[in-house]
Structure formats: structure tokens, C-alpha cells
Amino acid sequence: MSETPRLVLDDPWLEPQKEVIARRLDRFHQTVADIDGRSGSLSAHANGHKLTGIHRQPDGGWMVREWLPKAKAVSLVGDFNFWDREAHPLAPARGGVWQLRLPPGALAHGQRVKLHIVGADGSRRDRIPACILRVVQDPQSHDFSGQIWEPAEPYVWKHEFDPASVKVPFIYEAHVGMSGEEGRVHSYREFANATLPRIAAAGYNVVQLMAVQEHPYYGSFGYHVSSFFAPSSRFGTPEDLKYLVDTAHGLGVAVLLDIVHSHAVKNYAEGLNDLDGSGNLYFHSDWRGDHPQWDSKVFDYGRAEVRQFLLSNVRHWLEDFRFDGFRFDGVTSMLYWNRGATTFDDYWKYFGDEADHDAVLYLQLATTLARQLKPGAILVAEDMSGMPGLCRPVQDGGVGFSHRLAMGIPDFWIKLLKHTPDEDWDIGEIWSTLSNRRHGEANIAYAESHDQALVGDKTLAFWLMDQNMYWHMGKEDPNPIVERGIALHKIIRLLTFALGGEGWLNFMGNEFGHPEWLDFPREGNGWSYHYCRRQWSLADNPALKYCFLGAFDRAMLETGKKHGLPGEERAELLNLDAGNKVLCARRGDLIFVFNLSIDRSIPGYKFPVPGKGEYRLVLDTDASFFGGQDRVDANITYPVAKDGTLAIYTPARTAMVFAPA
């Protein structure tokens, strides 16, 4: 066994888990060595999507190959042969692969295709090839088919982009289909032309795209994936998606794919479920292959062919579509056999029998591959368990992600707003929640994401102001509920931004306080798109208070960029005044003062600060152009007293940021 991993040396509490962590690292090195011996390199191994599927050959012909080791018979059917299941059989080849060569002219751009598979169990089904690059739905029958995609003019990329240029990620989580104001599905090109400029102008340097991988049910938010290599055709063509990514790069914005390798749709007609009739191909055949909470199938990460399929998927999106990294969905579910349905109150729960060590190996390979292909790749894990080492380098005994989502923070805010009156907020609990995270593992902080806004819940703004947003958002309307809501919306976001992580995430529209909630068209709502769109006109209307929130968000990000925050240096608590509900903290060279009192404004408020000299006010939630009351003069400076304190006026229900003058 190898020497003690760096992860354990840095955290003595992991000493009892040293052998498990070392075994994980040894297994990773052995697996990479085996891959190098067979394929030459990890990146060459992650080329399965080029070796299976339907591909044009150098001589102009076609090669059809599919991994179906237990199938009894396979044939290619489609528009080209009038769906004749006997005309074009595939022959078994090595490694469980079936293949068929077709002459030049046999297939043409736009033709629909499927595989007719006689399974090991005797089943006969028309199925979509696993590595198909495009899938379309028939508008009449609603049936999904693979489609030959070979446009006459391939997309020509215009912009080069290095994601390493993103020092602190300000992530804008977005969904193409709901990105417009009209009640319909919007397109990749509409998003590129209309929404991306908004994102860039708002100060965000990363856009995270949801629902790109093909999924049969729009209402799944893209998380029940059926065809992993095909960009969803409901939003446009593959070239349209490339145009979106290229446009973002031209604006200086990195693009992350919300990649789903944690599970897959269980549908036979569209997905991978039981593709060869064996009951165990891509997924476990027993209880481990079924996800009880998500009604979906779970990958068998212990099978080398499955890992190769998923690694090839990582390479496909990084190379063919030039994504700059990923937000890996459902990582907690991947890491544990209990799918994360437990309380993680002891280190052994991360490393004991409930941990899926095969999934850990796959994720180590995936993060390693991503960095080999794109050294500056941004790799975010959606994990709520807090597994130690998840965001540490693999060579240290970690899993290799660059960041994890700070998932407990938005849940904390919603719970607080639901159950606790403002006057009872515990600022000690707020500080503890925002600052309690593993040192040396970067977090992406956020006050809310798409999860909090789904039907049954609502956006942060709507929790604060509810139906008053329908009637009292005019700038000339001094509604006290709205005034409170706007003040707390700014404070909550600044608290989270300043203290909660090493990066920031915002869901589309929440930066300006988008009202209501998210709900996809479905039978239960009469197939309505009313809540499945973004009402940009609210933010664009200068007569409405939404523009105050949008302006504050831009100023908050700009302040962060100027001062390198939220960076790697953690926040230092300077003053926790529970009686007055005032919290003061330093991060980098900035001083943050939060007054959460509902009625206590304090002149001459003193608290300790580092260094000497003077400070100036650089951001104030109470400024009039952010919808505040301008109770503090932004032009004066604040000298540090001889006793090392700063004296300021802190109005009730405000937050202020000071920088050295």
C-alpha cells in the first residue's frame, strides 16, 4: 500500500480512514496503469463514442457498431430501409460488439434510425443507439428516434477561450427552454443572442446550462437523460448549441454543462435500460440499479465498459462542444449505496460499507480526464454529504473536483424565512452556517437555485414579499412588506456571497428578484408555460423596484471582482453582537457590517478592525439606487482609532462594505 495520503496528513481526524483512502488511491493508479497499457492513455481510452454508434468512414461508407454482449440478434432500421427489421443485420464482433458496414450513399443527413434488438430474454424492441449524436421526436406520434446528422457546412468556431482565466467563478445557472418571456420552448440561438448578453452585462463570468443532454420529458428539468451524447433537439441543432458556447466565449463567459452521470431515465423506448435484454448492461441488475427517490436507473460504475462510456461522454462535451467544465449532478447519490439518505455525522459514513468505491473511482477518473483535456476545467460537485477530499486533488487522496455546491445554505435561508420571525434571527447561527466548511476545499455559495423555486416552493423574493409583488413593486409605492423584502433580499445575498464560499451561483432571474416559482407544462397545470419562462420585462422596466435588486447584484459582483472575492482566504469574524444583531467580518481587504435588527439603528457603532489608516464605504444596501433610504453618506472616510476600532453609523436592516481608503 502507498504512503499516507496528503489528505490524511492535513486532517488528523481522517487517520482511522487512512487505509480506505490509500486503497482508493492505489486502485486509481492501478486502473490508470491498466488503461495506459491497453489504450495508451486515459484520453485515448475515452474514445468509445467514436468507436461505437453510427459513423462516416474515410472511404465514404458507414460503420454501425453497438456494445450488446448478450443480445441474440441486432439490425439497423430506419427511413433508409423503410424500417425493415430483416434488411440490415449486424454481425457479432469482438468484445460484445455488433457491427455493420454500409456502402457510401446508404445513409443520408436527416434520416431517422434505430436498432432492432432481440434481447437475451427474447424481447424484441426498437432502440436508440447508446452513443447516437442526435435524437428527434416525431411531432405526431411523439416517438423518439436517432437521426443521422452530417450537415453540409460544419460549424466554424470563432473564439478561443481558456477557463483558467476564471479566477473566481460567478456562475449563472440557466435553462435554455425557459430563458425567454413568451410561453413556449426557447432555442439555443435565442439564448445566445438575447440571454447571454444579459448574463455578461450582469457581471457573471460562467454560465451553467441545464437540460442539454437529451431527455424525453421536458418537465424532468433535464435530469432524466436518455441519450447522453445528443444535445436536446427541442432547443435546436448541435450547431446551434456550438453557436451558443462560441458566443459565450466571445463575451468572456465560460460555459459549464450540467452533466448527469448519477442516473438515467428508465424508459425502454428512449433510454439505455436493459438494452441487450440481459438485465445488467449499463446498470446494476439488482436493487442497486434502481433509484427509489428518482424513479430512474443507476449506473454500474464497477464495470469497465460503463466507466469508458461515461468517460467518453466527458470527452465528447469538452472537445466537440468546447464546454469549459461541468456541474456533476447527484454526486451524493453516486457516492453512497443509501443514495445519501442518512445523516453524515461520522467520518466512517464517508468511507465505510455504505460508500460506493466504484463510483469514487469513476469520479477520480472523470476529473483527471477533464483536466488532461482542458487543464483549466471548472468541475463542480453537487454534493450535500460533505465527503472529505471531494475537492482535493486525486494525488492527495481526493476525488479531484474544483468546487462543491454549498447546498446547506439555501436550505437554511428558506427554513429561516418559513419558520422564524425577523426579530428572532440568530446571527450566531447565520455566521456558523455560512462559515462552517472544510478548509482547503472550495465551495460555491448560493442563496437559492432552481431547486428552491420548483413548484411547491418559491423564489427567495416571493418568500419575502409573496402576493405583494403583484401590486406593490412600483417605485412610487412605499409598501412596508416590499420594502422589508427588498432590504432582506440584498442582505441575504450579500451575506451568502461574502461569507459562504469561494465562488457564487445564481439561478436565472433571481438576481432581480424574479417572482413566483417554476413549473413545467404538465397535465396538472393544463400544459401551461406561464411559470416556465423568465419575465425580463420586470427587470427592464425603470418604474419597477426589480431594477433596484438587479443593480445591487451587479454592484456586489463588481465589488467582489475588484477585491478578488470571494477568494480562497476565509472570512474572519470581527464582531458578533447578538443583542444589537450586528455581525462584522473581514474577508480579504474588505470589512462587512450586517445589521439585522428590525428597528435598531446605531450611531457611533464601534468594532475592531485590522491595520491602521482609513476606510471608505464601497457598497451599501441602503443606497437609494438600490432601493434604500440613503441614510449613510458614501463620501466620508472612517479613520481607524488608536485602539484599533472603527466607528460607523449602522442603520437597521442594512449591510455595508468598507475598503481601505
Side-chain angles (χ1 to χ4, degrees):
M1 189 172 292
S2 61
E3 61 185 17
T4 301
R6 182 74 192 175
L7 178 64
V8 179
L9 295 176
D10 289 345
D11 184 356
W13 289 98
L14 288 172
E15 182 67 28
Q17 315 302 330
K18 177 176 69 176
E19 291 189 7
V20 176
I21 296 170
R23 280 199 302 271
R24 286 180 175 180
L25 188 54
D26 286 344
R27 187 184 179 196
F28 166 79
H29 287 310
Q30 184 59 55
T31 302
V32 171
D34 291 343
I35 288 172
D36 288 346
R38 290 196 314 271
S39 303
S41 67
L42 182 58
S43 59
H45 174 71
N47 204 33
H49 59 303
K50 303 289 187 183
L51 303 176
T52 59
I54 304 174
H55 297 288
R56 175 78 76 174
Q57 299 301 294
D59 64 0
W62 296 86
M63 176 62 77
V64 183
R65 303 180 87 241
E66 193 76 15
W67 179 56
L68 300 163
K70 298 293 180 63
K72 294 181 177 179
V74 185
S75 61
L76 182 68
V77 299
D79 295 332
F80 78 105
N81 66 2
F82 304 99
W83 301 89
D84 185 342
R85 292 170 177 156
E86 309 295 330
H88 291 85
L90 279 67
R94 294 181 357 179
V97 172
W98 294 70
Q99 67 180 33
L100 168 67
R101 291 182 182 274
L102 292 172
L107 299 174
H109 174 69
Q111 289 179 332
R112 295 171 301 158
V113 290
K114 288 188 181 185
L115 294 173
H116 181 69
I117 302 171
V118 180
D121 56 359
S123 60
R124 294 175 176 269
R125 296 188 178 100
D126 291 342
R127 306 295 297 270
I128 296 173
C131 294
I132 198 74
L133 301 179
R134 181 164 165 82
V135 174
V136 292
Q137 185 178 26
D138 185 282
Q140 278 73 46
S141 68
H142 305 297
D143 179 55
F144 285 85
S145 300
Q147 187 178 44
I148 303 299
W149 196 254
E150 194 182 40
E153 297 183 7
Y155 185 80
V156 178
W157 294 89
K158 300 177 180 63
H159 303 286
E160 295 292 332
F161 185 82
D162 182 1
S165 63
V166 178
K167 304 305 180 185
V168 178
F170 297 158
I171 303 174
Y172 198 90
E173 185 184 37
H175 184 286
V176 168
M178 66 170 62
S179 63
E181 189 146 1
E182 298 177 21
R184 60 177 175 84
V185 177
H186 295 81
S187 72
Y188 295 125
R189 285 190 175 265
E190 287 176 313
F191 185 92
N193 295 331
T195 307
L196 278 176
R198 288 182 177 274
I199 295 170
Y204 289 85
N205 55 17
V206 181
V207 60
Q208 176 181 299
L209 290 182
M210 308 172 65
V212 170
Q213 293 172 291
E214 190 60 88
H215 48 290
Y217 179 45
Y218 188 47
S220 74
F221 231 136
Y223 291 120
H224 275 198
V225 173
S226 52
S227 294
F228 286 77
F229 293 83
S232 180
S233 60
R234 58 171 55 87
F235 308 132
T237 68
E239 288 67 40
D240 293 338
L241 177 58
K242 292 175 182 178
Y243 172 78
L244 186 162
V245 175
D246 203 13
T247 302
H249 289 166
L251 292 168
V253 175
V255 188
L256 304 186
L257 174 67
D258 193 344
I259 198 168
V260 184
H261 284 178
S262 50
H263 65 133
V265 72
K266 69 179 185 180
N267 303 20
Y268 290 104
E270 297 90 8
L272 301 173
N273 191 7
D274 201 17
L275 199 60
D276 69 348
S278 66
N280 177 24
L281 188 62
Y282 289 94
F283 314 111
H284 290 285
S285 60
D286 54 16
W287 62 270
R288 296 172 298 171
D290 294 308
H291 201 297
Q293 286 83 31
W294 298 343
D295 192 29
S296 55
K297 301 299 293 184
V298 179
F299 287 103
D300 181 356
Y301 305 106
R303 191 164 190 173
E305 296 90 345
V306 174
R307 291 199 300 267
Q308 184 181 24
F309 172 83
L310 295 172
L311 290 169
S312 300
N313 196 234
V314 168
R315 180 174 179 179
H316 168 68
W317 294 110
L318 289 177
E319 287 192 342
D320 294 356
F321 288 89
R322 299 195 182 184
F323 280 93
D324 301 295
F326 302 101
R327 178 259 202 195
F328 274 77
D329 174 67
V331 168
T332 305
S333 173
M334 298 173 72
L335 292 173
Y336 311 100
W337 296 118
N338 57 32
R339 305 303 167 211
T342 188
T343 301
F344 293 92
D345 52 4
D346 196 291
Y347 271 175
W348 71 265
K349 291 188 176 181
Y350 300 114
F351 303 102
D353 293 339
E354 281 298 323
D356 183 350
H357 301 290
D358 294 333
V360 172
L361 172 63
Y362 164 65
L363 290 171
Q364 289 175 320
L365 292 168
T367 57
T368 300
L369 173 67
R371 286 207 172 82
Q372 287 180 359
L373 296 172
K374 191 161 289 194
I378 301 167
L379 304 170
V380 182
E382 190 209 20
D383 171 54
M384 58 175 288
S385 74
M387 175 180 274
L390 189 67
C391 301
R392 288 288 296 272
V394 174
Q395 60 265 30
D396 289 356
V399 184
F401 286 97
S402 62
H403 300 78
R404 65 154 48 91
L405 292 176
M407 299 180 69
I409 294 176
D411 293 341
F412 169 77
W413 286 125
I414 294 297
K415 181 180 178 181
L416 194 69
L417 292 174
K418 280 183 178 180
H419 303 295
T420 308
D422 303 5
E423 58 269 23
D424 294 334
W425 284 13
D426 183 340
I427 61 171
E429 183 185 25
I430 292 172
W431 164 259
S432 176
T433 299
L434 294 176
S435 62
N436 182 22
R437 56 187 181 276
R438 287 187 64 81
H439 181 68
E441 300 195 36
N443 281 235
I444 299 293
Y446 58 110
E448 57 182 329
S449 70
H450 72 274
D451 285 325
Q452 285 68 45
L454 288 171
V455 64
D457 214 321
K458 47 193 175 184
T459 65
L460 199 63
F462 217 60
W463 272 114
L464 288 164
M465 296 173 274
D466 207 75
Q467 62 182 351
N468 293 278
M469 298 187 78
Y470 294 132
W471 319 112
H472 301 293
M473 289 299 284
K475 286 184 176 179
E476 304 306 317
D477 187 339
N479 181 272
I481 294 176
V482 169
E483 297 305 305
R484 165 194 173 267
I486 287 178
L488 288 179
H489 192 275
K490 292 178 290 188
I491 293 172
I492 287 171
R493 288 173 70 88
L494 183 59
L495 271 164
T496 307
F497 178 84
L499 309 179
E502 289 69 42
W504 171 253
L505 179 141
N506 168 76
F507 178 69
M508 181 169 60
N510 289 348
E511 70 278 10
F512 65 81
H514 201 289
E516 301 174 325
W517 52 87
L518 296 173
D519 192 12
F520 284 86
R522 54 188 173 85
E523 187 176 6
N525 64 15
W527 303 104
S528 170
Y529 285 87
H530 180 74
Y531 298 108
C532 192
R533 60 196 180 103
R534 296 288 87 180
Q535 300 180 59
W536 303 111
S537 60
L538 297 176
D540 294 341
N541 190 334
L544 298 179
K545 297 175 183 176
Y546 294 99
C547 64
F548 290 145
L549 297 178
F552 176 76
D553 196 70
R554 287 191 296 274
M556 181 178 75
L557 298 189
E558 185 61 30
T559 301
K561 287 179 181 178
K562 285 181 179 178
H563 296 269
L565 296 180
E568 294 182 2
E569 183 181 358
R570 305 187 73 172
E572 175 192 358
L573 183 63
L574 301 176
N575 183 54
L576 189 67
D577 183 349
N580 288 310
K581 293 194 181 300
V582 177
L583 188 161
C584 307
R586 178 195 67 84
R587 194 161 187 193
D589 64 345
L590 295 181
I591 304 297
F592 296 85
V593 179
F594 300 93
N595 185 333
L596 291 169
S597 170
I598 62 172
D599 56 7
R600 192 171 301 171
S601 299
I602 310 172
Y605 188 82
K606 292 185 176 182
F607 62 97
V609 295
K612 301 177 181 179
E614 294 180 327
Y615 282 86
R616 59 188 175 87
L617 183 63
V618 294
L619 185 64
D620 180 11
T621 63
D622 196 46
S624 59
F625 40 87
F626 302 144
Q629 301 176 36
D630 268 338
R631 284 172 284 182
V632 177
D633 185 351
N635 296 313
I636 63 175
T637 56
Y638 300 83
V640 179
K642 291 182 179 180
D643 62 355
T645 61
L646 203 65
I648 65 169
Y649 172 46
T650 170
R653 205 175 266 157
T654 66
M656 296 185 289
V657 183
F658 297 88

